[in-house]
Amino acid sequence: MNVPFVSFLPMERELDSDLRNAFNRVFTRSWYIEGQEDAAFEKAFSAFCGTKYCIGVGNGLDALMLILKALDIGEGDEVIVPSNTYIATALAVTYVGAKPVFVEPEMETFNIDPSRIEAAVTARTKAIMPVHLYGRACDMDPIMSIAAKYSLRIIEDCAQAHGATYKGRKVGTFGDAAGFSFYPGKNLGALGDAGAVVTDNEDIAVKVRALGNYGSDYKYHHIYKGNNSRLDELQAAFLSAKLPHLERMNAARRQIADRYLSEIKNPAVILPLVSEEYVPVWHIFGIRCSRRDELEKHLSSRGITTNKHYPIPMHLQECYRDLGFSEGDFPIAEEISRTELSLPMFYGMTDAEVQAVISAVNDFA
Amino acid sequence: MNVPFVSFLPMERELDSDLRNAFNRVFTRSWYIEGQEDAAFEKAFSAFCGTKYCIGVGNGLDALMLILKALDIGEGDEVIVPSNTYIATALAVTYVGAKPVFVEPEMETFNIDPSRIEAAVTARTKAIMPVHLYGRACDMDPIMSIAAKYSLRIIEDCAQAHGATYKGRKVGTFGDAAGFSFYPGKNLGALGDAGAVVTDNEDIAVKVRALGNYGSDYKYHHIYKGNNSRLDELQAAFLSAKLPHLERMNAARRQIADRYLSEIKNPAVILPLVSEEYVPVWHIFGIRCSRRDELEKHLSSRGITTNKHYPIPMHLQECYRDLGFSEGDFPIAEEISRTELSLPMFYGMTDAEVQAVISAVNDFA
Ligand SMILES: Cc1ncc(COP(=O)(O)O)c(/C=N/[C@@H]2[C@@H](O)[C@@H](OP(=O)(O)OP(=O)(O)OC[C@H]3O[C@@H](n4cc(C)c(=O)[nH]c4=O)C[C@@H]3O)O[C@H](C)[C@H]2O)c1O
Ligand SMILES: Cc1ncc(COP(=O)(O)O)c(/C=N/[C@@H]2[C@@H](O)[C@@H](OP(=O)(O)OP(=O)(O)OC[C@H]3O[C@@H](n4cc(C)c(=O)[nH]c4=O)C[C@@H]3O)O[C@H](C)[C@H]2O)c1O
């Protein structure tokens, strides 16, 4: 049996007519940028998150970058980011001229280790950017305390965690603002690039909207040196069609995860940690294995496609050579990059597909 | 009779089934980013322009910014831009940390005045960014000579000039690279934000593509501090549906322009200059009138919607206060901002609509 790493088809066939209607509605109206679909989705998504404001933007990287700009973080400033994340988190920091300062994750949760943050704070530190990686919230209580102690901003990177909770509270509601990605493969994905900023802070909301619209507060009147980063009406309409199903689809991912967690039994494999205070949304189901590349091959020979998030840690990427790091500087991130393997995980995976993955992993010797 | 400033409906009803098929094709394939639609459109658009390479990107501002980044233009550098353009031209320069240096346009053509460029060149100047405004090419021969003399790069801003020619040669083929916008209202418009870079230079092409894809040359391998700026498959498919009709639709705009030019007869109104060596595509038909705001009101009372491109020149925008300019510093740009009025201009304007505009302008006293 062939099991893809991800397929959008079960979801798209289920929502087929809603998605087609979304296209028809926008196309018939002939209005494609900054219209009622964007406004309606922003309202619905801020209600979903439990924040006062939502601003649709072009993608997840831009969401983070626009928040940083809105907070006047730039040249000479430092922003703490996890050493284990998708590189876009750090690129947003670089983009505004600030310096990303990497902090190691906890091996068990893959997320930034709160106990290591304080040592990275300097006089230049302006913000911490916790990334709720793979769909699991960071341990926010200690992170919030450190931020309070040093008067740092918190910018949550929620690109992989739409709807995940920590102690009953949704990610995106802890910090000053949060960035979401709606890249097609995300738990809530558009049919193209898209993203959003959510916040309770009106100043940030107003500034982010202007910054993403050529820096203008009204047409032809430019108060900031802005960018162009907006949520297309079409993508907003597609997202509005999907949003009402997000909780249910996240729950379906949790069912798959629960089976993986209880039925994968292989001493060569370390399963991801679960704990009561966290409700993860399993954007990625990442296991660890010291013979990861062999396991990958083995699964592939059984028709199962896997992925690695991420094979090269940021501090060893060519683009960050100027930060002067070398192998060994972030051993936990490096270990994750060597051992992490992402199993198939998507809404609509059949029981047989889940079973095939479990059996194949268990058969690995 | 009500005449809108722009309506997409005649074009969209004519291409209705092609545009719907484009959506169906992409949606059925369930592949939304970096796929065959993008590749096909890039091939078709570079063939249309007559350049070796085309890279789809997120929007027109990003196109210019990515070119500047690819050319390593940034902090400490100066880029010459016209004082009369949409602010996105200058924002792209600001965005990479360089300084936009404004050069006045010719009053008659609205475009950068080649005879004033040399005086603006300093030891820091790295590039000239000619903007083919309103659909009319800049006077490229003298601009190319200056660039050659001082070893400056030329980055063409073609956001308003898809298909326009200068001495028989298409815009976008003169410089090191050119940026296009496919904002919905452009002569070639997507159904959302979109843009492209065209160039004959392989190094620029390869670098722009990586820079717009998180700086990666291949998946998870990041060689530059990149951005996220890509052309969605859906938008590429819509653009591919429209591109075969662009020349014909540009010709239809020229017919409208020809009627305006020959039938508008009002001493209070200055018509745009036409000259043999230029084939404009009339993205905007801009007339000038010293009593512009009265004329606007008069036309509005006759049901005719007009627009102003642009009411506030860049050097007087709040966001560029740090450049230290004040009123009077760029008198020609200021005069244009006070006197320019854009008449209705779009594919599918009926003869009666054109007539209504002409009569209303001629009746203005
Ligand atoms: C020289 C130069 N360089 C770089 C750029 C940057 O490119 P960009 O990043 O792609 O925007 C521009 C952009 N240029 C344009 C700029 O010229 C200006 O254009 P504009 O004529 O003011 O546009 P508009 O009034 O929003 O739309 C034109 C008409 O179209 C109608 N319409 C509009 C929409 C969106 C719709 O869905 N349905 C409609 O019916 C309403 C209007 O009557 O503002 C835009 C946002 C920019 O993309 C430029 O001119
Ligand atoms: C923490 C964090 N912060 C900021 C960001 C930045 O957000 P962004 O700017 O919106 O990308 C990210 C982005 N994160 C993701 C990143 O995690 C990575 O995700 P990935 O799992 O490698 O994604 P992928 O392999 O391209 O797609 C996943 C699967 O989906 C299938 N697919 C894909 C597409 C596009 C399709 O159309 N049809 C398909 O069937 C193929 C794959 O099997 O790469 C993406 C480009 C980023 O958006 C992040 O994780």
Side-chain angles (χ1 to χ4, degrees):
Chain A
M1 165 177 272
N2 281 331
V3 185
F5 177 63
V6 159
S7 170
F8 304 163
L9 291 176
M11 183 240 302
E12 290 184 352
R13 292 298 75 85
E14 198 176 303
L15 304 182
D16 191 87
S17 64
D18 291 351
L19 291 166
R20 287 178 192 277
N21 286 342
F23 171 74
N24 281 331
R25 204 162 68 230
V26 174
F27 184 50
T28 307
R29 205 185 284 130
S30 195
W31 195 268
Y32 303 108
I33 290 177
E34 293 197 284
Q36 64 195 77
E37 297 292 341
D38 190 20
F41 173 71
E42 289 177 351
K43 207 173 150 196
F45 194 65
S46 57
F48 173 86
C49 291
T51 55
K52 278 198 201 145
Y53 306 99
C54 170
I55 304 97
V57 300
N59 56 65
L61 203 174
D62 281 359
L64 299 172
M65 176 275 289
L66 291 167
I67 295 170
L68 288 161
K69 263 192 157 182
L71 294 172
D72 285 320
I73 293 173
E75 209 67 53
D77 297 331
E78 293 178 359
V79 176
I80 291 173
V81 301
S83 56
N84 181 49
T85 178
Y86 185 59
I87 198 165
T89 312
L91 289 175
V93 176
T94 305
Y95 202 81
V96 299
K99 186 180 156 189
V101 173
F102 301 132
V103 167
E104 285 275 67
E106 304 165 314
M107 189 74 90
E108 301 71 33
T109 68
F110 300 110
N111 274 335
I112 192 164
D113 185 343
S115 74
R116 292 170 186 260
I117 292 176
E118 224 166 330
V121 174
T122 74
R124 292 164 174 254
T125 312
K126 287 283 148 45
I128 306 171
M129 219 185 238
V131 182
H132 310 296
L133 206 68
Y134 308 157
R136 179 197 166 95
C138 294
D139 187 5
M140 290 308 294
D141 282 346
I143 297 175
M144 299 305 292
S145 302
I146 298 164
K149 182 167 165 191
Y150 296 95
S151 299
L152 305 178
R153 301 289 198 158
I154 297 273
I155 301 159
E156 295 177 72
D157 182 343
C158 299
Q160 305 196 358
H162 316 68
T165 61
Y166 169 73
K167 300 192 177 173
R169 187 167 154 192
K170 275 201 180 117
V171 301
T173 61
F174 294 89
D176 294 277
F180 282 87
S181 164
F182 306 123
Y183 181 77
K186 301 304 187 198
N187 288 35
L188 179 63
L191 308 188
D193 272 311
V197 170
V198 301
T199 181
D200 280 336
N201 182 319
E202 185 177 358
D203 292 342
I204 296 176
V206 168
K207 196 164 172 188
V208 163
R209 189 177 302 284
L211 283 171
N213 200 16
Y214 317 97
S216 59
D217 51 352
Y218 57 88
K219 197 169 165 67
Y220 303 143
H221 188 261
H222 301 266
I223 52 176
Y224 307 118
K225 297 186 179 93
N227 296 70
N228 181 355
S229 188
R230 302 177 285 214
L231 180 60
D232 286 340
E233 286 287 285
L234 276 174
Q235 300 301 350
F238 298 138
L239 289 167
S240 288
K242 288 184 174 183
L243 181 58
H245 306 276
L246 176 58
E247 295 279 22
R248 179 171 61 84
M249 292 180 170
N250 279 343
R253 284 174 181 263
R254 275 193 292 272
Q255 283 187 348
I256 298 164
D258 286 346
R259 283 200 61 193
Y260 281 164
L261 288 166
S262 62
E263 299 177 42
I264 291 180
K265 294 197 154 84
N266 187 329
V269 159
I270 302 169
L271 291 166
L273 186 75
V274 284
S275 19
E276 270 207 352
E277 290 169 329
Y278 298 75
V279 181
V281 294
W282 299 110
H283 172 57
I284 281 163
F285 191 94
I287 62 177
R288 291 204 306 112
C289 177
S290 58
R291 290 183 291 134
R292 192 260 317 267
D293 295 350
E294 282 173 66
L295 175 56
E296 177 192 23
K297 262 199 203 139
H298 164 77
L299 293 176
S300 172
S301 76
R302 300 273 286 254
I304 293 161
T305 306
T306 56
N307 208 343
K308 297 167 197 164
H309 294 92
Y310 298 91
I312 308 173
M314 290 184 299
H315 67 284
L316 301 179
Q317 295 279 359
E318 209 174 311
C319 66
Y320 281 127
R321 241 188 340 213
D322 59 342
L323 296 176
F325 294 116
S326 52
E327 209 157 336
D329 284 337
F330 294 93
I332 304 180
E334 289 167 24
E335 177 76 2
I336 291 172
S337 76
R338 264 193 306 267
T339 57
E340 192 274 349
L341 192 72
S342 308
L343 298 183
M345 169 60 75
F346 55 93
Y347 175 77
M349 254 185 105
T350 64
D351 287 346
E353 286 173 324
V354 177
Q355 187 57 56
V357 175
I358 293 166
S359 304
V361 175
N362 287 343
D363 288 351
F364 176 65
Chain B
M1 163 176 272
N2 282 331
V3 186
F5 176 63
V6 160
S7 169
F8 304 163
L9 292 177
M11 182 239 303
E12 289 183 354
R13 290 301 73 89
E14 198 176 303
L15 305 182
D16 191 87
S17 65
D18 290 350
L19 291 166
R20 288 177 191 279
N21 286 342
F23 171 74
N24 282 332
R25 203 163 67 229
V26 175
F27 184 50
T28 305
R29 205 185 285 131
S30 196
W31 195 268
Y32 303 109
I33 291 177
E34 294 197 285
Q36 63 196 78
E37 298 291 343
D38 192 18
F41 173 71
E42 289 176 350
K43 206 173 152 197
F45 194 66
S46 57
F48 172 86
C49 291
T51 55
K52 277 198 202 147
Y53 306 98
C54 170
I55 304 98
V57 300
N59 55 64
L61 203 174
D62 281 359
L64 299 173
M65 177 275 288
L66 292 167
I67 296 169
L68 288 162
K69 263 192 155 179
L71 294 173
D72 286 320
I73 293 174
E75 209 69 52
D77 297 331
E78 293 178 359
V79 177
I80 291 172
V81 301
S83 55
N84 181 51
T85 178
Y86 185 60
I87 196 164
T89 312
L91 289 175
V93 176
T94 304
Y95 203 81
V96 299
K99 185 179 157 191
V101 173
F102 301 132
V103 167
E104 286 274 66
E106 303 166 312
M107 189 73 89
E108 301 70 34
T109 67
F110 301 109
N111 274 335
I112 193 164
D113 184 343
S115 74
R116 292 170 186 260
I117 292 176
E118 222 165 330
V121 174
T122 73
R124 292 163 174 254
T125 311
K126 289 281 149 45
I128 307 171
M129 219 186 241
V131 182
H132 309 295
L133 207 67
Y134 308 156
R136 179 196 166 94
C138 296
D139 187 5
M140 291 307 295
D141 281 347
I143 297 176
M144 299 305 291
S145 302
I146 298 164
K149 181 166 166 193
Y150 296 96
S151 298
L152 305 178
R153 300 289 197 158
I154 297 273
I155 301 159
E156 295 177 72
D157 182 343
C158 300
Q160 305 196 357
H162 316 67
T165 62
Y166 169 74
K167 301 189 177 174
R169 186 166 153 192
K170 276 204 181 115
V171 300
T173 61
F174 294 90
D176 294 278
F180 281 87
S181 164
F182 305 124
Y183 181 78
K186 300 303 188 199
N187 288 35
L188 179 63
L191 308 188
D193 271 312
V197 170
V198 302
T199 181
D200 279 338
N201 182 318
E202 185 176 358
D203 292 342
I204 296 177
V206 169
K207 196 164 174 190
V208 162
R209 189 178 302 285
L211 283 172
N213 201 16
Y214 318 96
S216 58
D217 51 353
Y218 57 88
K219 197 168 166 67
Y220 303 143
H221 189 262
H222 301 267
I223 51 175
Y224 307 118
K225 299 186 179 91
N227 295 70
N228 181 354
S229 188
R230 302 177 285 213
L231 180 61
D232 287 339
E233 287 287 284
L234 276 174
Q235 300 301 350
F238 299 138
L239 290 166
S240 288
K242 288 184 174 183
L243 181 58
H245 307 275
L246 176 58
E247 296 277 23
R248 180 171 60 83
M249 292 181 170
N250 278 343
R253 284 175 181 262
R254 275 194 291 271
Q255 282 188 347
I256 299 165
D258 286 345
R259 283 201 60 193
Y260 282 164
L261 288 165
S262 63
E263 298 176 43
I264 290 179
K265 294 199 155 86
N266 186 330
V269 159
I270 302 169
L271 291 166
L273 186 76
V274 285
S275 20
E276 270 207 351
E277 288 169 330
Y278 297 76
V279 181
V281 294
W282 299 110
H283 171 57
I284 282 163
F285 191 93
I287 62 176
R288 289 204 308 113
C289 176
S290 58
R291 291 182 291 133
R292 191 260 317 267
D293 295 350
E294 281 173 66
L295 174 57
E296 176 191 25
K297 261 197 204 142
H298 163 77
L299 293 176
S300 172
S301 76
R302 300 271 288 254
I304 293 160
T305 306
T306 56
N307 207 344
K308 297 166 196 164
H309 295 91
Y310 297 91
I312 308 173
M314 291 185 298
H315 66 284
L316 301 178
Q317 295 280 0
E318 210 174 311
C319 66
Y320 280 128
R321 242 187 343 211
D322 59 342
L323 295 177
F325 294 116
S326 52
E327 210 157 334
D329 283 338
F330 294 93
I332 303 179
E334 290 168 25
E335 177 78 0
I336 291 172
S337 75
R338 265 193 306 268
T339 57
E340 192 274 350
L341 191 72
S342 307
L343 298 183
M345 170 58 76
F346 55 93
Y347 175 77
M349 255 186 105
T350 64
D351 287 346
E353 286 173 325
V354 178
Q355 186 58 56
V357 175
I358 292 167
S359 304
V361 175
N362 287 342
D363 288 351
F364 176 65

PDB file of all heavy atoms in Angstrom, chain A residues 96-110:
ATOM      1  N   VAL A  96      14.356  42.382   8.908  1.00  0.00           N
ATOM      2  CA  VAL A  96      14.192  43.742   9.436  1.00  0.00           C
ATOM      3  C   VAL A  96      15.530  44.289   9.921  1.00  0.00           C
ATOM      4  O   VAL A  96      15.585  45.372  10.499  1.00  0.00           O
ATOM      5  CB  VAL A  96      13.142  43.792  10.581  1.00  0.00           C
ATOM      6  CG1 VAL A  96      11.774  43.334  10.069  1.00  0.00           C
ATOM      7  CG2 VAL A  96      13.572  42.955  11.786  1.00  0.00           C
ATOM      8  N   GLY A  97      16.598  43.539   9.720  1.00  0.00           N
ATOM      9  CA  GLY A  97      17.918  44.030  10.092  1.00  0.00           C
ATOM     10  C   GLY A  97      18.366  43.641  11.485  1.00  0.00           C
ATOM     11  O   GLY A  97      19.466  43.993  11.904  1.00  0.00           O
ATOM     12  N   ALA A  98      17.537  42.927  12.218  1.00  0.00           N
ATOM     13  CA  ALA A  98      17.896  42.494  13.571  1.00  0.00           C
ATOM     14  C   ALA A  98      18.658  41.169  13.505  1.00  0.00           C
ATOM     15  O   ALA A  98      18.769  40.549  12.445  1.00  0.00           O
ATOM     16  CB  ALA A  98      16.657  42.357  14.437  1.00  0.00           C
ATOM     17  N   LYS A  99      19.169  40.734  14.659  1.00  0.00           N
ATOM     18  CA  LYS A  99      19.976  39.520  14.696  1.00  0.00           C
ATOM     19  C   LYS A  99      19.219  38.400  15.405  1.00  0.00           C
ATOM     20  O   LYS A  99      18.774  38.576  16.541  1.00  0.00           O
ATOM     21  CB  LYS A  99      21.273  39.834  15.463  1.00  0.00           C
ATOM     22  CG  LYS A  99      22.271  38.690  15.463  1.00  0.00           C
ATOM     23  CD  LYS A  99      23.522  39.097  16.239  1.00  0.00           C
ATOM     24  CE  LYS A  99      24.248  37.857  16.751  1.00  0.00           C
ATOM     25  NZ  LYS A  99      25.327  38.189  17.666  1.00  0.00           N
ATOM     26  N   PRO A 100      19.069  37.254  14.736  1.00  0.00           N
ATOM     27  CA  PRO A 100      18.437  36.126  15.417  1.00  0.00           C
ATOM     28  C   PRO A 100      19.433  35.479  16.373  1.00  0.00           C
ATOM     29  O   PRO A 100      20.577  35.222  16.005  1.00  0.00           O
ATOM     30  CB  PRO A 100      18.078  35.171  14.275  1.00  0.00           C
ATOM     31  CG  PRO A 100      19.012  35.513  13.167  1.00  0.00           C
ATOM     32  CD  PRO A 100      19.469  36.937  13.360  1.00  0.00           C
ATOM     33  N   VAL A 101      19.006  35.263  17.607  1.00  0.00           N
ATOM     34  CA  VAL A 101      19.852  34.609  18.606  1.00  0.00           C
ATOM     35  C   VAL A 101      19.210  33.256  18.917  1.00  0.00           C
ATOM     36  O   VAL A 101      18.074  33.191  19.376  1.00  0.00           O
ATOM     37  CB  VAL A 101      19.950  35.478  19.877  1.00  0.00           C
ATOM     38  CG1 VAL A 101      20.691  34.730  20.984  1.00  0.00           C
ATOM     39  CG2 VAL A 101      20.649  36.790  19.549  1.00  0.00           C
ATOM     40  N   PHE A 102      19.977  32.195  18.608  1.00  0.00           N
ATOM     41  CA  PHE A 102      19.395  30.859  18.703  1.00  0.00           C
ATOM     42  C   PHE A 102      19.467  30.308  20.121  1.00  0.00           C
ATOM     43  O   PHE A 102      20.498  30.414  20.785  1.00  0.00           O
ATOM     44  CB  PHE A 102      20.122  29.892  17.764  1.00  0.00           C
ATOM     45  CG  PHE A 102      20.082  30.314  16.321  1.00  0.00           C
ATOM     46  CD1 PHE A 102      21.234  30.328  15.540  1.00  0.00           C
ATOM     47  CD2 PHE A 102      18.888  30.697  15.727  1.00  0.00           C
ATOM     48  CE1 PHE A 102      21.198  30.712  14.201  1.00  0.00           C
ATOM     49  CE2 PHE A 102      18.827  31.084  14.394  1.00  0.00           C
ATOM     50  CZ  PHE A 102      19.998  31.088  13.634  1.00  0.00           C
ATOM     51  N   VAL A 103      18.379  29.681  20.547  1.00  0.00           N
ATOM     52  CA  VAL A 103      18.338  29.013  21.845  1.00  0.00           C
ATOM     53  C   VAL A 103      17.881  27.571  21.616  1.00  0.00           C
ATOM     54  O   VAL A 103      16.916  27.324  20.878  1.00  0.00           O
ATOM     55  CB  VAL A 103      17.382  29.750  22.810  1.00  0.00           C
ATOM     56  CG1 VAL A 103      17.087  28.896  24.038  1.00  0.00           C
ATOM     57  CG2 VAL A 103      17.987  31.086  23.228  1.00  0.00           C
ATOM     58  N   GLU A 104      18.581  26.655  22.252  1.00  0.00           N
ATOM     59  CA  GLU A 104      18.332  25.232  22.030  1.00  0.00           C
ATOM     60  C   GLU A 104      16.928  24.802  22.474  1.00  0.00           C
ATOM     61  O   GLU A 104      16.359  25.362  23.418  1.00  0.00           O
ATOM     62  CB  GLU A 104      19.360  24.414  22.835  1.00  0.00           C
ATOM     63  CG  GLU A 104      20.749  24.414  22.219  1.00  0.00           C
ATOM     64  CD  GLU A 104      20.917  23.343  21.153  1.00  0.00           C
ATOM     65  OE1 GLU A 104      20.275  23.437  20.093  1.00  0.00           O
ATOM     66  OE2 GLU A 104      21.728  22.417  21.398  1.00  0.00           O
ATOM     67  N   PRO A 105      16.394  23.789  21.801  1.00  0.00           N
ATOM     68  CA  PRO A 105      15.099  23.234  22.212  1.00  0.00           C
ATOM     69  C   PRO A 105      15.280  22.163  23.299  1.00  0.00           C
ATOM     70  O   PRO A 105      16.407  21.750  23.592  1.00  0.00           O
ATOM     71  CB  PRO A 105      14.599  22.581  20.928  1.00  0.00           C
ATOM     72  CG  PRO A 105      15.846  22.129  20.240  1.00  0.00           C
ATOM     73  CD  PRO A 105      16.913  23.153  20.593  1.00  0.00           C
ATOM     74  N   GLU A 106      14.159  21.734  23.869  1.00  0.00           N
ATOM     75  CA  GLU A 106      14.140  20.513  24.672  1.00  0.00           C
ATOM     76  C   GLU A 106      14.065  19.351  23.695  1.00  0.00           C
ATOM     77  O   GLU A 106      13.215  19.339  22.798  1.00  0.00           O
ATOM     78  CB  GLU A 106      12.899  20.448  25.555  1.00  0.00           C
ATOM     79  CG  GLU A 106      12.725  21.642  26.483  1.00  0.00           C
ATOM     80  CD  GLU A 106      11.320  21.711  27.073  1.00  0.00           C
ATOM     81  OE1 GLU A 106      10.348  21.548  26.310  1.00  0.00           O
ATOM     82  OE2 GLU A 106      11.203  21.915  28.285  1.00  0.00           O
ATOM     83  N   MET A 107      14.903  18.352  23.902  1.00  0.00           N
ATOM     84  CA  MET A 107      14.889  17.205  22.996  1.00  0.00           C
ATOM     85  C   MET A 107      13.506  16.536  22.952  1.00  0.00           C
ATOM     86  O   MET A 107      13.060  16.072  21.912  1.00  0.00           O
ATOM     87  CB  MET A 107      15.950  16.198  23.478  1.00  0.00           C
ATOM     88  CG  MET A 107      16.203  15.087  22.530  1.00  0.00           C
ATOM     89  SD  MET A 107      17.147  15.649  21.097  1.00  0.00           S
ATOM     90  CE  MET A 107      18.825  15.374  21.673  1.00  0.00           C
ATOM     91  N   GLU A 108      12.831  16.505  24.069  1.00  0.00           N
ATOM     92  CA  GLU A 108      11.574  15.746  24.167  1.00  0.00           C
ATOM     93  C   GLU A 108      10.404  16.426  23.465  1.00  0.00           C
ATOM     94  O   GLU A 108       9.504  15.773  22.958  1.00  0.00           O
ATOM     95  CB  GLU A 108      11.183  15.542  25.643  1.00  0.00           C
ATOM     96  CG  GLU A 108      12.209  14.806  26.482  1.00  0.00           C
ATOM     97  CD  GLU A 108      13.451  15.641  26.758  1.00  0.00           C
ATOM     98  OE1 GLU A 108      13.321  16.879  26.885  1.00  0.00           O
ATOM     99  OE2 GLU A 108      14.553  15.070  26.806  1.00  0.00           O
ATOM    100  N   THR A 109      10.391  17.769  23.483  1.00  0.00           N
ATOM    101  CA  THR A 109       9.235  18.473  22.899  1.00  0.00           C
ATOM    102  C   THR A 109       9.590  19.131  21.576  1.00  0.00           C
ATOM    103  O   THR A 109       8.706  19.610  20.869  1.00  0.00           O
ATOM    104  CB  THR A 109       8.737  19.588  23.845  1.00  0.00           C
ATOM    105  OG1 THR A 109       9.739  20.614  23.911  1.00  0.00           O
ATOM    106  CG2 THR A 109       8.455  19.046  25.236  1.00  0.00           C
ATOM    107  N   PHE A 110      10.858  19.173  21.241  1.00  0.00           N
ATOM    108  CA  PHE A 110      11.370  19.836  20.030  1.00  0.00           C
ATOM    109  C   PHE A 110      11.278  21.362  20.133  1.00  0.00           C
ATOM    110  O   PHE A 110      11.750  22.065  19.263  1.00  0.00           O
ATOM    111  CB  PHE A 110      10.623  19.390  18.754  1.00  0.00           C
ATOM    112  CG  PHE A 110      10.712  17.918  18.448  1.00  0.00           C
ATOM    113  CD1 PHE A 110       9.591  17.102  18.582  1.00  0.00           C
ATOM    114  CD2 PHE A 110      11.897  17.350  18.016  1.00  0.00           C
ATOM    115  CE1 PHE A 110       9.656  15.742  18.272  1.00  0.00           C
ATOM    116  CE2 PHE A 110      11.966  15.992  17.701  1.00  0.00           C
ATOM    117  CZ  PHE A 110      10.844  15.182  17.839  1.00  0.00           C
TER     118      PHE A 110
END
